Amino acid sequence: MDYSSEVYEEFRNSIRDQRSQGCEWKDIHDSYGTPDELAIELKLLRRRGKFDGEFSMQDWHELVDYMESIDKKSAITKLTSHSGNAAKVPTRSGSQWVNYRKRLLKNGFSETSVDEIQRSVHAILQQLDSKTYIENDEDHNGRAVKGLVVGNVQSGKTANMAGLISMAADLGFNYFIIFSGIIDNLRKQTEDRMYDDLKIPGTNLSWNRIANPSSAERAPEHKWAKIDLSEGSKQRYFTVCLKNTVRMKQLKQWLYKSKSARAGLKVLIIDDEADQGSINTKVISNDENDENDRTQINQHMLDIVNGFQDKKLRAVNYISYTATPFANILNEVGDESLYPRDFIVQLTPSDDYIGPKQIFGLEQPETNSAVDIVLSIPDNDVLDIKDIQKGEIDEIPNSLKDALDWYFVASCALRFLNFKKPTSMLIHTSQKKVDHENIRKSVEKYAPMSINGTSFSKHSF
């Protein structure tokens, strides 16, 4: 029996709900004490049009075993010194998370992948604090929650971030800041994608994007009087900000300008690719009494997270996302730094993820067979590539011609199947720019490209 089928969604949801409430697997097995109790549940589900079929006590136990096996396989690795909260996974039909989950499934994510996103997002959510500052309260002195999420390259971190924002919005967080890259057109792409991910019909929340906020800007969406931060408000706001000194300075000045807004802001900050730009790359003293000189972006980030000009926001949670966390962990550890002192979460790749481990395999700590997709390049072709890089020849070797031809044919097949997204091929033969320039010229000689790189005169697709 295929327990991943949509037919059993209501039963899987029941198991998820019980797990989110802290129930042990044994207790879930026994949640239907008798066949009669299960029969009553089946009758209710059929009446509501949620299930139409046969389902026995044995089926229930097998389904619980199936869900337990998935849960153990994708257990979250979490290091924490933070007490966290007891937040549950939202289950209301109008909740942001429930509707985002449905969208992921509709967009082709497997049930297993979405369950993994839910588990990891819930683990992160339980570390957040919606009230880090209360005036004259030593227990809420404005110390921001700081955490780190480590995920594999291209393993769905964006879906995890949108999922975290969705659950946090259900929990009452009202303003979300995503720091994303250093190029504005990519920032705009991230903003558009995030808005599309969050603005889902059927949710009970209303989403508003605030682009490039500034105290000097007269746009209505930048005026605090127009932003509803009241308790119980269904309005949610988000900003995607460049890691740029001008933009970050404008953001922090705007963010801390209004006293009434500061008292209502419950902020979740997501630092995407947190090892880029945010880290203090200047010389750091080992003496705690020394005040370190800081890069401008690092200082702006600290002001936004820790407080600016002795002002605090009601709640600040800073979560850094990266696939390469070494600098974030080893850079500095002071209370005023961005060090993830509260928690670190390791995301588990989904079953359909393909990365270096799957492609090349592992021998230690345990044997992991490689996928048979790596082709070795003949020694003579390697020598030809080196000669091209030196500028001594300009004709690419046959192995590279074959690779390009396969790419063109595969792209044509995708276009024939109405695949609209861009396709790309990476040719990386050296760490030197001049070598890449010579390789580029040789590739263009074999397959001339138009100026915008979207069509080929010899190999059109």
Side-chain angles (χ1 to χ4, degrees):
M1 191 176 291
D2 181 12
Y3 289 114
S4 65
S5 169
E6 291 184 7
V7 174
Y8 304 105
E9 176 66 14
E10 288 298 315
F11 295 103
R12 289 196 300 270
N13 283 338
S14 173
I15 294 170
R16 293 188 193 104
D17 292 346
Q18 292 180 68
R19 283 295 289 167
S20 70
Q21 293 167 14
C23 293
E24 298 293 333
W25 288 108
K26 181 182 180 302
D27 297 328
I28 297 175
H29 267 287
D30 298 335
S31 56
Y32 293 114
T34 66
D36 289 342
E37 291 180 15
L38 178 59
I40 293 172
E41 179 67 18
L42 288 172
K43 186 176 181 179
L44 291 172
L45 289 174
R46 290 183 181 119
R47 185 179 298 171
R48 289 158 48 201
K50 298 292 187 179
F51 184 75
D52 183 19
E54 298 301 320
F55 195 77
S56 67
M57 288 291 286
Q58 182 179 344
D59 293 331
W60 170 254
H61 292 309
E62 289 179 359
L63 176 57
V64 175
D65 288 339
Y66 165 76
M67 296 290 285
E68 182 179 6
S69 68
I70 294 175
D71 188 69
K72 289 181 177 178
K73 185 177 180 180
S74 57
I76 304 300
T77 302
K78 179 173 65 177
L79 301 174
T80 179
S81 61
H82 185 55
S83 58
N85 62 72
K88 302 292 190 298
V89 175
T91 57
R92 304 185 314 276
S93 60
S95 84
Q96 183 69 34
W97 164 251
V98 168
N99 285 276
Y100 181 64
R101 178 187 171 88
K102 291 178 181 177
R103 170 164 290 187
L104 289 175
L105 292 169
K106 184 179 179 181
N107 288 345
F109 281 71
S110 68
E111 185 87 26
T112 303
S113 296
V114 176
D115 281 346
E116 169 56 33
I117 291 172
Q118 177 171 309
R119 275 187 289 273
S120 59
V121 165
H122 186 225
I124 299 167
L125 183 77
Q126 289 186 315
Q127 302 303 312
L128 305 186
D129 191 340
S130 61
K131 194 176 291 184
T132 57
Y133 178 69
I134 299 176
E135 193 172 359
N136 300 321
D137 186 335
E138 292 185 2
D139 293 332
H140 300 84
N141 60 5
R143 186 181 79 85
V145 172
K146 297 173 184 175
L148 171 66
V149 178
V150 183
N152 292 53
V153 175
Q154 294 297 313
S155 63
K157 292 194 298 295
T158 303
N160 189 279
M161 288 188 283
L164 177 59
I165 290 173
S166 295
M167 273 201 200
D170 285 331
L171 193 63
F173 285 84
N174 51 24
Y175 187 49
F176 303 87
I177 303 172
I178 302 103
F179 288 102
S180 180
I182 56 177
I183 302 173
D184 196 50
N185 63 341
L186 296 180
R187 181 207 67 80
K188 185 64 166 59
Q189 288 179 22
T190 301
E191 180 185 277
D192 291 341
R193 177 179 174 180
M194 190 62 68
Y195 187 69
D196 289 340
D197 283 344
L198 297 174
K199 195 172 179 62
I200 306 173
T203 64
N204 55 16
L205 298 177
S206 178
W207 287 92
N208 309 270
R209 49 179 156 183
I210 304 177
N212 303 327
S214 168
S215 297
E217 178 61 52
R218 295 185 177 181
E221 63 268 22
H222 291 188
K223 296 185 180 300
W224 284 114
K226 301 289 185 179
I227 297 175
D228 184 3
L229 302 174
S230 61
E231 287 293 331
S233 171
K234 300 300 183 182
Q235 301 297 318
R236 299 293 184 266
Y237 305 87
F238 79 95
T239 293
V240 179
C241 183
L242 282 181
K243 294 183 187 179
N244 169 288
T245 56
V246 174
R247 295 282 179 84
M248 294 179 75
K249 181 179 180 180
Q250 291 174 340
L251 173 61
K252 75 178 182 183
Q253 290 175 338
W254 174 81
L255 195 62
Y256 284 89
K257 181 179 180 180
S258 167
K259 183 177 180 180
S260 60
R262 293 196 303 270
L265 276 166
K266 291 181 279 189
V267 180
L268 173 59
I269 299 170
I270 291 177
D271 189 352
D272 190 16
E273 306 298 350
D275 55 322
Q276 179 190 39
S278 305
I279 300 297
N280 183 24
T281 55
K282 293 195 174 183
V283 177
I284 297 174
S285 172
N286 292 323
D287 190 336
E288 294 183 357
N289 296 318
D290 291 345
E291 186 172 337
N292 289 315
D293 191 15
R294 298 190 173 278
T295 59
Q296 290 188 61
I297 289 178
N298 177 256
Q299 186 60 62
H300 288 317
M301 188 73 78
L302 289 173
D303 289 341
I304 292 169
V305 173
N306 292 331
F308 179 53
Q309 295 179 340
D310 295 324
K311 300 170 184 175
K312 300 285 186 179
L313 306 180
R314 177 176 177 179
V316 178
N317 296 258
Y318 170 81
I319 315 298
S320 48
Y321 276 76
T322 181
T324 50
F326 314 106
N328 303 81
I329 296 172
L330 301 176
N331 181 248
E332 54 180 334
V333 297
D335 284 345
E336 298 302 311
S337 72
L338 297 174
Y339 180 75
R341 63 190 169 197
D342 293 306
F343 68 91
I344 299 175
V345 170
Q346 169 73 56
L347 300 182
T348 303
S350 63
D351 288 341
D352 49 8
Y353 174 72
I354 297 180
K357 175 181 174 182
Q358 290 76 18
I359 294 173
F360 299 107
L362 285 178
E363 293 183 357
Q364 295 179 342
E366 60 184 22
T367 301
N368 189 84
S369 301
V371 179
D372 187 20
I373 60 174
V374 179
L375 302 179
S376 298
I377 298 172
D379 291 342
N380 288 337
D381 287 7
V382 174
L383 294 175
D384 286 346
I385 289 292
K386 291 182 177 179
D387 288 340
I388 294 173
Q389 291 173 166
K390 295 175 184 176
E392 296 177 359
I393 62 173
D394 62 1
E395 183 174 354
I396 62 175
N398 288 332
S399 59
L400 183 51
K401 291 178 182 178
D402 289 343
L404 286 165
D405 289 347
W406 273 106
Y407 166 62
F408 299 144
V409 171
S411 296
C412 289
L414 287 169
R415 292 292 178 265
F416 180 76
L417 295 171
N418 206 31
F419 185 82
K420 301 295 185 181
K421 294 182 179 181
T423 62
S424 62
M425 173 179 173
L426 174 66
I427 302 174
H428 186 75
T429 61
S430 171
Q431 77 275 24
K432 297 179 181 179
K433 289 183 179 180
V434 63
D435 292 349
H436 280 286
E437 181 63 21
N438 288 332
I439 291 290
R440 182 187 67 80
K441 291 176 181 178
S442 295
V443 169
E444 285 189 342
K445 180 182 176 183
Y446 175 68
M449 293 184 290
S450 66
I451 293 176
N452 64 11
T454 57
S455 63
F456 294 78
S457 59
K458 285 187 178 180
H459 306 270
S460 178
F461 66 93

